Amino acid sequence: SGTMAPHTADTIATITCRTTMVHPGFAAHRRRQAHRALRTGSTKGNPSARVRSGGKALAVSVSAAVFVTTLTALMAPGTVRAVPLPTGLPISATTSIHLRSQRRTGTIPTELGLLTRLTYVDIAENWLTGPMPTELGLLTLVNSSFSLGSNLLSLAIPTELGKLIRMSYGFWLYSNSLSSTIPTQLGQLVKMSAVFDLSSNSLSLAIPTELGQLDKMSEAFQLNMNRLGGAVPTELGQLESLIYQMNLGSNSLAETLPTELGNCRHLATTFEMAMNKIGGAIPTELGNLLEITSRFSLSDNSLAS
């Protein structure tokens, strides 16, 4: 019928490592090592595959032209087994980590900060606990995704994350148990164009005025469902490029709304300030938000009638 037979094992994690061009003979040597690793379950003799695999076999593929190592943890069909994040990955070769929804447990290893060639990190939707290591601030080449959302991470957001100044898309820390304040240093991520999401945590005190420097944001500025207090900073009116979602709902924000929010006139969906403690009159300048077609909400506040 031409239908391919199903794979005999469930792939639960893939990490791709890429280096420069190598001689075909060297690649063939690596391929032999890979085959031996698959037969024996051992990574001995293959420096690029030395990871703590928890006894699982490692599937390793090597091309002749470009040395590409893909480490894939394999488990028997139907097996549900939680494993920690890998450590000991090749420092000079690992450029991206894709471990979303892999039932990963334990803490984020500090060794992750050694992978300074990473440009993409996605370890969201796992069961990771404890604080975020300050060493994550060493991943200064990350630019398109820094996703740690939907875990069980706790304590403060490291100020060192403000060093990820190449970030342009996808700073996801949503749905954890992060506490303390939002670091002012996150205002240094001035290249962010979409998705700055700290929602559904336990962050408290004031929203840093420095977040107004993220003025290239066009989509998803989300601080909702925290414990943030004080006034909405006037500087958020500098987010004039926002088209989708400014969500500050379900906090403890107080005082009056700044008139400067009327500068966000390109917003098309979601201006959410509901379920706060905002008082005073509604600024007439919010009438400039003429492009909003869905979700303009100031409900459940203490606004003047």
Side-chain angles (χ1 to χ4, degrees), residues 255-269:
E255 302 185 34
T256 59
L257 286 174
T259 60
E260 287 81 359
L261 292 181
N263 296 334
C264 302
R265 61 185 70 234
H266 299 298
L267 265 176
T269 63

Side-chain angles (χ1 to χ4, degrees), residues 125-206:
E125 299 177 8
N126 284 291
W127 302 330
L128 301 173
T129 58
M132 286 185 284
T134 59
E135 288 82 358
L136 295 181
L138 299 173
L139 306 180
T140 55
L141 295 185
V142 173
N143 55 63
S144 59
S145 178
F146 185 82
S147 184
L148 280 65
S150 196
N151 277 289
L152 302 170
L153 301 172
S154 59
L155 301 183
I157 298 173
T159 60
E160 288 80 1
L161 295 188
K163 298 177 182 178
L164 307 184
I165 58 175
R166 289 181 173 83
M167 282 296 307
S168 61
Y169 178 90
F171 187 84
W172 279 291
L173 300 181
Y174 64 91
S175 297
N176 279 288
S177 296
L178 300 171
S179 57
S180 192
T181 60
I182 299 174
T184 60
Q185 290 83 353
L186 296 186
Q188 298 170 15
L189 310 183
V190 295
K191 294 185 179 180
M192 287 294 302
S193 62
V195 191
F196 181 88
D197 191 350
L198 309 183
S199 64
S200 300
N201 280 287
S202 297
L203 300 169
S204 59
L205 300 182

Side-chain angles (χ1 to χ4, degrees), residues 209-228:
T209 60
E210 288 81 358
L211 295 187
Q213 298 171 24
L214 309 183
D215 55 6
K216 296 181 177 63
M217 290 282 299
S218 64
E219 177 183 340
F221 181 82
Q222 299 185 170
L223 306 180
N224 53 298
M225 299 184 69
N226 279 287
R227 299 176 182 174
L228 299 169

